[in-house]
């Protein structure tokens, strides 16, 4: 019966979306060297303003440091906030013809084809664009492309769970030893987490969710918050499956990947605004993002030809138990997204707590 209910709940996802070409869709293909673009950016003023999706203000400090170290004299003004808020604020800029952001890097993948169709994005292919997985980019207009593959893993603190040698499935979280030990992001507050639950319940049914609630998990806002809590000695919770920690998460933290349902992975997607006030600086930033030197530092590269040193997966397209193109299809089907969201809101209530960017947990 639970499987029938799950099927009724989850049916309706579309399986593809098409990019409709916007006006003047032919892209500019970059042929300059990185140093030539750097020189043009310095002459322009040496500043680039970027909005990056995330839920901790300092989440992209390492990107800022790497960019400014690589290009002395350049300033990367990077703002991190939830993608669902940044996209609506960008729409306001576009509506009022007052674009002051140069570049966006967001999780709201459904917005990029729309902005491309509206003529809001610059049709520009940085060096390395041809190496990006075709499914992660608009190959015709070059107006948007993934730069890094994000993913959720199963994560736990071995110091807090000394008797747990491994977690290999979502079903493991239903074992007695995880009672009161789980911390999870509200699925009705973050679309990537919503998609994680969507995929799990496609395989394990609504009974899995009912049994998860019996484990008395701690529900939080933000996808960085669970990892902060399970890592912290002052918190009792010790395990999660809704946080990104890379492949080398640190002392006492182990990660694994599920075998009983798919885990979420997607290309965090970037674009330059057509009316960016600092177009040369934005181009420099995007050429840096897709450069082999930077891509090799990422847990999972969006380029087919880059094998990140820390990654056990060298071909994300053929990694077991994940499909990095599925999240974009889910995000484009807003009817299904809202229907599934309200299922969880009905069970859990609205997400409680301040935005993770201002909450001290």
């Amino acid at each position: 019966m639970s499987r029938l209910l799950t099927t009724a709940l989850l049916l309706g996802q579309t399986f593809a979306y098409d990019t409709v070409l916007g006006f003047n869709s032919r892209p500019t293909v970059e042929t300059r060297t990185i140093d030539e673009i750097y020189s043009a950016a310095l002459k322009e003023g040496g500043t680039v303003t970027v909005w990056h999706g995330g839920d901790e203000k300092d989440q992209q400090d390492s990107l800022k440091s790497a960019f400014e170290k690589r290009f002395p004299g350049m300033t990367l003004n990077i703002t991190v906030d939830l993608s669902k808020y940044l996209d609506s604020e960008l729409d306001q800029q576009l509506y009022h013809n007052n674009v002051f952001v140069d570049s966006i890097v967001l999780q709201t993948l459904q917005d990029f084809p729309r902005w491309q169709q509206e003529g809001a994005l610059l049709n520009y292919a940085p060096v390395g664009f041809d190496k990006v997985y075709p499914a992660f980019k608009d190959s015709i207009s070059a107006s948007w492309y993934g730069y890094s593959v994000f993913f959720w893993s199963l994560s736990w603190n071995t110091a807090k769970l000394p008797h747990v040698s491994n977690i290999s499935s979502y079903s493991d979280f239903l074992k007695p030893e995880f009672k009161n030990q789980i911390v999870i992001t509200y699925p009705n507050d973050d679309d990537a987490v919503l998609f994680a639950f969507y995929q799990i319940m496609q395989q394990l049914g609504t009974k899995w969710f009912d049994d998860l609630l019996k484990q008395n998990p701690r529900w939080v806002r933000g996808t960085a918050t669970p990892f902060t809590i399970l890592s912290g000695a002052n918190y009792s919770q010790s395990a999660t499956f809704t946080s990104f920690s890379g492949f080398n998460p640190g002392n006492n933290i182990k990660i694994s990947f599920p075998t009983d349902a798919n885990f979420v992975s997607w290309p965090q997607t970037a674009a330059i605004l057509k009316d960016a006030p600092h177009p040369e600086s934005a181009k420099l930033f995007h050429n840096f993002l897709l450069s082999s030197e930077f891509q090799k530092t990422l847990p999972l590269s969006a380029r087919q030809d880059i094998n990140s040193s820390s990654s056990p997966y060298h071909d994300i397209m053929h990694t077991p138990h994940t499909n990095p193109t599925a999240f974009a299809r889910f995000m484009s089907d807003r009817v299904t997204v809202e229907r599934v969201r309200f299922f969880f809101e009905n069970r859990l209530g609205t997400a409680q707590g301040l935005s993770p960017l201002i909450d001290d947990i």
Side-chain angles (χ1 to χ4, degrees):
M1 183 63 177
S2 65
R3 183 60 57 85
L4 291 175
L5 290 173
T6 303
T7 302
L9 168 68
L10 301 178
L11 279 177
Q13 181 180 347
T14 58
F15 291 94
Y17 61 81
D18 298 320
T19 298
V20 179
L21 294 182
F23 176 72
N24 192 26
S25 62
R26 180 176 297 175
T28 298
V29 178
E30 186 59 78
T31 58
R32 295 174 295 175
T33 67
I34 195 78
D35 288 334
E36 289 173 332
I37 305 170
Y38 177 27
S39 177
L42 288 174
K43 291 177 182 177
E44 186 182 64
T47 298
V48 56
T49 298
V50 175
W51 281 2
H52 198 299
D55 46 26
E56 290 188 356
K57 293 179 181 179
D58 62 353
Q59 229 167 9
Q60 295 302 323
D61 284 1
S62 60
L63 174 57
K64 175 180 172 66
S65 296
F67 179 77
E68 293 180 352
K69 181 180 180 179
R70 174 65 177 81
F71 303 107
M74 293 296 301
T75 299
L76 174 56
N77 292 329
I78 190 161
T79 297
V80 176
D81 203 343
L82 302 181
S83 293
K84 64 182 181 180
Y85 298 151
L86 292 179
D87 67 352
S88 62
E89 292 182 27
L90 179 60
D91 279 333
Q92 289 298 306
Q93 290 185 41
L94 295 170
Y95 178 78
H96 293 290
N97 294 315
N98 181 33
V99 173
F100 57 83
V101 174
D102 297 304
S103 173
I104 48 173
V105 185
L106 301 175
Q107 174 185 302
T108 48
L109 305 187
Q110 79 280 5
D111 289 320
F112 290 91
R114 173 174 64 85
W115 285 326
Q116 188 274 332
Q117 293 165 22
E118 293 171 356
L121 305 180
L122 186 68
N123 299 330
Y124 171 75
V127 175
F129 176 82
D130 60 319
K131 305 297 185 183
V132 174
Y133 285 99
F136 294 170
K137 63 186 177 183
D138 184 333
S139 297
I140 298 175
S141 73
S143 60
W144 52 266
Y145 29 86
Y147 91 93
S148 178
V149 179
F150 284 13
F151 57 89
W152 307 145
S153 60
L154 313 181
S155 307
W156 70 101
N157 188 319
T158 58
K160 295 181 182 180
L161 292 169
H163 302 299
V164 175
S165 60
N166 190 40
I167 304 176
S168 61
S169 69
Y170 294 112
S171 298
D172 283 345
F173 286 88
L174 307 182
K175 294 179 178 179
E177 55 263 40
F178 291 103
K179 179 84 170 184
N180 301 317
Q181 291 291 319
I182 305 169
V183 54
I184 319 174
T185 307
Y186 282 100
N188 46 314
D189 197 40
D190 184 287
D191 284 349
V193 178
L194 187 73
F195 186 52
F197 277 82
Y198 178 96
Q199 292 190 122
I200 295 167
M201 292 171 63
Q202 281 184 314
Q203 294 298 315
L204 305 181
T206 54
K207 186 179 185 303
W208 172 87
F209 181 65
D210 293 336
D211 291 342
L212 180 69
L213 293 180
K214 295 175 185 176
Q215 296 288 70
N216 191 34
R218 178 177 177 180
W219 298 96
V220 297
R221 298 191 66 192
T223 57
T225 307
F227 186 76
T228 299
I229 289 175
L230 73 87
S231 302
N234 296 328
Y235 305 106
S236 61
Q237 290 80 20
S238 57
T240 191
F241 54 85
T242 62
S243 215
F244 175 77
S245 58
F247 294 107
N248 298 301
N251 293 336
N252 299 326
I253 307 299
K254 289 186 69 175
I255 71 164
S256 65
F257 295 91
T259 57
D260 57 348
N262 280 3
F263 66 92
V264 176
S265 62
W266 77 94
Q268 191 78 342
T269 297
I272 300 173
L273 277 303
K274 181 175 65 67
D275 295 328
H278 310 105
E280 294 298 334
S281 298
K283 291 175 183 177
L284 179 65
F285 176 68
H286 281 247
N287 279 273
F288 175 71
L289 285 183
L290 290 186
S291 67
S292 59
E293 64 177 291
F294 180 71
Q295 289 285 310
K296 288 177 181 178
T297 69
L298 299 173
L300 279 177
S301 172
R303 286 178 48 160
Q304 302 177 76
D305 62 328
I306 300 292
N307 292 330
S308 304
S309 59
S310 64
S311 171
Y313 300 127
H314 299 309
D315 183 358
I316 187 61
M317 291 300 184
H318 296 92
T319 295
H321 303 295
T322 194
N323 179 351
T325 69
F327 181 53
R329 295 196 296 271
F330 177 76
M331 291 291 278
S332 70
D333 182 2
R334 302 314 292 176
V335 172
T336 297
V337 170
E338 293 306 306
R339 179 161 44 84
V340 178
R341 185 196 318 281
F342 288 128
F343 167 83
F344 288 107
E345 187 167 301
N346 183 54
R347 299 295 301 276
L348 301 173
T350 57
Q352 299 300 303
L354 299 174
S355 166
L357 283 95
I358 58 177
D359 195 5
D360 61 0
I361 310 177

